[in-house]
Amino acid sequence: MCLGIPGRIVEVASSLSDQLETATVAFGGLKRPICVALVPDLRPGDYVLVHAGIAIEKIDEKQAAEMLAYLQAISDGELSELTQGEMSP
Amino acid sequence: MKHLDEYRDARLAKRLLSGIAKIVRSPHTVMEVCGGQTHTLVRSGILDQLPENLKVVHGPGCPVCVTPMEEIDEALELAARPEVRFCSFGDMLRVPGSRTDLSTIRSQGGDVRIVYSPLDALEMARRDRDRQVVFFAVGFETTAPATALAVWQAKREGLTNFSLLVSHVLVPPALERIAGNPNSKVQGFLAAGHVCTVVGFEDYETLASHYRIPIVVTGFEPVDLLQGLWMLARQLEQGRYELENQYARVVRRNGNMRARDLLAEVYEVCDRPWRGLGILPRSGLRLTAAYREFDARSKFGITGSVSAEPTECRSGDVLQGLLSPIDCPSFGLACTPDTPLGAPMVSSEGACAAYFHHRRQRRELAVV
């Protein structure tokens, strides 16, 4: 039930003041309207994590890239070493 | 898909596995809290590829599984009422109550609808003002903002035919129960990344230092889980007990403040019974006084029964990591997905269902 799916903002809809803000979000090739009332200041191209029809957070692209770069760069020796630096980049 | 495929990289997964195998020197038992993580660990084959001295047990993070039978019975009582359209996530339909289940009520003519989002139920209430739409608000902190948003918007629109049967639960009290149980062998937790996305991890920092137990906030893909296990194994071998965040691309220390503010307006914390665990203090949510008119229990005068759970079902032990599903005497015999004794065998996040579908034989690593 806590399944969350990353999706890309295609377009933020201009919503009426008494309605919840929505955006068109692409999940691979599938596009769906998603409520973005809980994640402010989204722009097309941003990625959000979607759960039960609402965006619950924006994905931090910089954090994601840094962690992946760190994992790609870490040597097998460092992976099996207990005394060296921490996992966080 | 971006932000998914990168974390299903088989080469990276194998390197992390081999790193874990080299790091772990003494035997450790750790718990992944969330049922979504349980299913990834089992389905991807990670569970069978970990070194023997790193035992992973499965936690209480399956909302369907921990919903007590009396609350299922309340749902059944509401769903059978002629004026009610009862909306639920699909997972709840086959969970046994004391006499029947939602799926059976539907086949007998009850107006039971499966929805993907509580906002879909809200839309039904807007379109069909003659029906009383009730949404079964189950789930942890991850799901509560979606139900809170639905009821907040219903109040704003003045809808009088929308209400919630609230059965939300909070993760930290269950972890405290496990960490404080002298029979528990759990020495470290992988905390559920999407719960922490909403509420942050300050409570988990307190838990880690109070119980001197390492906790790593972890994502849901195979590489996430392996990295989380690697970080946890390092802490255990180094004798540390800190809160670390593997899922920093999504989880911030304070969580999502908009969501937290909304939760604080709509819900208040209450004591709550968990299936198999009994009453855990301050472990559930209920609507605040300002939203009482949207509470299906008071609106329809649901009293709730006190029903005994079937004694053959050992889900209380399974949900605390005290019993592996395959060691339950009923597993695969008296209890199967077709004839479940308890919710962990039917929920898509239940540990018993994960073992039944994916783990009746040892699996090779199959991360992609």
Side-chain angles (χ1 to χ4, degrees):
Chain A
M1 196 167 292
C2 288
L3 181 71
I5 303 169
R8 179 174 50 83
I9 301 285
V10 178
E11 186 180 23
V12 181
S14 56
S15 63
L16 302 169
S17 62
D18 61 343
Q19 292 299 313
L20 296 170
E21 298 95 328
T22 59
T24 304
V25 178
F27 304 93
L30 179 75
K31 289 179 189 169
R32 283 203 53 156
I34 294 297
C35 172
V36 292
L38 298 182
V39 186
D41 306 326
L42 290 171
R43 297 209 168 87
D46 288 343
Y47 277 80
V48 287
L49 189 77
V50 175
H51 169 76
I54 70 164
I56 55 170
E57 193 52 277
K58 181 171 155 179
I59 295 174
D60 185 331
E61 298 269 359
K62 188 165 166 279
Q63 280 281 1
E66 282 176 6
M67 189 66 96
L68 278 171
Y70 178 81
L71 282 177
Q72 299 292 350
I74 193 171
S75 70
D76 288 342
E78 287 169 299
L79 273 175
S80 50
E81 178 55 65
L82 277 173
T83 52
Q84 287 193 350
E86 298 312 308
M87 197 65 184
S88 299
Chain B
M1 274 165 64
K2 192 178 175 189
H3 295 302
L4 274 185
D5 297 342
E6 306 92 306
Y7 305 96
R8 297 175 180 175
D9 179 334
R11 193 179 142 268
L12 199 47
K14 283 184 184 137
R15 292 183 61 224
L16 282 163
L17 262 174
S18 136
I20 292 168
K22 286 179 185 140
I23 279 175
V24 179
R25 287 161 196 174
S26 41
H28 300 291
T29 298
V30 300
M31 170 180 278
E32 95 286 352
V33 172
C34 171
Q37 295 175 329
T38 309
H39 274 253
T40 303
L41 286 172
V42 175
R43 194 177 55 230
S44 66
I46 290 173
L47 209 55
D48 290 320
Q49 297 297 320
L50 288 169
E52 280 184 11
N53 49 7
L54 182 66
K55 188 175 176 199
V56 180
V57 298
H58 315 304
C62 163
V64 175
C65 304
V66 302
T67 302
M69 191 169 284
E70 57 259 40
E71 292 186 7
I72 304 288
D73 282 347
E74 289 177 324
L76 297 169
E77 190 180 335
L78 279 168
R81 293 174 75 118
E83 73 275 32
V84 166
R85 173 170 297 166
F86 194 83
C87 298
S88 169
F89 294 124
D91 266 23
M92 295 306 294
L93 259 71
R94 298 204 45 250
V95 177
S98 58
R99 288 177 304 279
T100 180
D101 58 32
L102 283 169
S103 180
T104 305
I105 296 224
R106 182 168 68 166
S107 69
Q108 290 165 349
D111 189 359
V112 177
R113 309 284 178 103
I114 295 175
V115 295
Y116 162 67
S117 167
L119 297 177
D120 297 339
L122 181 68
E123 182 58 24
M124 278 188 212
R126 283 193 197 108
R127 285 190 183 168
D128 207 348
R129 303 283 175 124
D130 296 335
R131 302 292 293 160
Q132 282 292 336
V133 176
V134 180
F135 183 76
F136 195 5
V138 296
F140 288 102
E141 293 94 322
T142 318
T143 313
T147 64
L149 205 53
V151 77
W152 180 83
Q153 180 65 17
K155 186 178 171 73
R156 192 157 69 141
E157 293 179 28
L159 286 175
T160 55
N161 64 327
F162 182 78
S163 57
L164 299 179
L165 176 61
V166 179
S167 196
H168 285 305
V169 273
L170 305 173
V171 171
L175 296 195
E176 282 194 53
R177 171 70 169 266
I178 291 162
N181 180 345
N183 295 323
S184 170
K185 296 186 169 59
V186 176
Q187 298 162 285
F189 290 114
L190 295 183
H194 293 156
V195 165
C196 294
T197 301
V198 171
V199 291
F201 50 75
E202 293 156 295
D203 285 353
Y204 295 78
E205 290 172 333
T206 312
L207 239 152
S209 69
H210 181 79
Y211 290 97
R212 302 167 77 91
I213 191 165
I215 304 178
V216 179
V217 179
T218 303
F220 291 75
E221 296 303 318
V223 166
D224 288 322
L225 284 157
L226 283 163
Q227 188 186 354
L229 286 167
W230 185 86
M231 292 164 79
L232 204 51
R234 281 173 66 90
Q235 286 209 47
L236 286 165
E237 288 294 335
Q238 293 169 337
R240 293 184 289 127
Y241 42 88
E242 295 161 17
L243 185 290
E244 293 179 313
N245 182 11
Q246 180 276 331
Y247 204 32
R249 66 184 184 276
V250 183
V251 176
R252 333 266 183 256
R253 183 165 187 273
N254 297 319
N256 178 332
M257 283 315 297
R258 270 202 187 194
R260 291 179 69 180
D261 289 345
L262 176 73
L263 289 178
E265 180 185 333
V266 173
Y267 291 124
E268 59 194 14
V269 176
C270 60
D271 298 348
R272 185 179 182 290
W274 293 50
R275 194 184 281 237
L277 302 182
I279 292 175
L280 299 185
R282 299 185 57 74
S283 68
L285 296 177
R286 67 178 175 214
L287 290 163
T288 53
Y291 287 85
R292 222 28 68 77
E293 65 196 287
F294 297 94
D295 183 344
R297 285 188 182 91
S298 53
K299 186 173 185 174
F300 297 98
I302 298 298
T303 49
S305 61
V306 179
S307 40
E309 296 178 24
T311 49
E312 315 95 292
C313 181
R314 304 264 313 266
S315 62
D317 292 337
V318 171
L319 291 165
Q320 296 180 81
L322 298 171
L323 177 74
S324 173
I326 43 175
D327 293 331
C328 175
S330 304
F331 179 84
L333 300 167
C335 185
T336 69
D338 287 332
T339 55
L341 289 178
M345 188 52 102
V346 280
S347 168
S348 61
E349 291 173 303
C352 302
Y355 277 68
F356 190 91
H357 291 300
H358 302 296
R359 206 177 180 233
R360 281 171 292 174
Q361 57 196 25
R362 187 180 156 81
R363 290 173 62 90
E364 298 304 316
L365 189 66
V367 293
V368 250

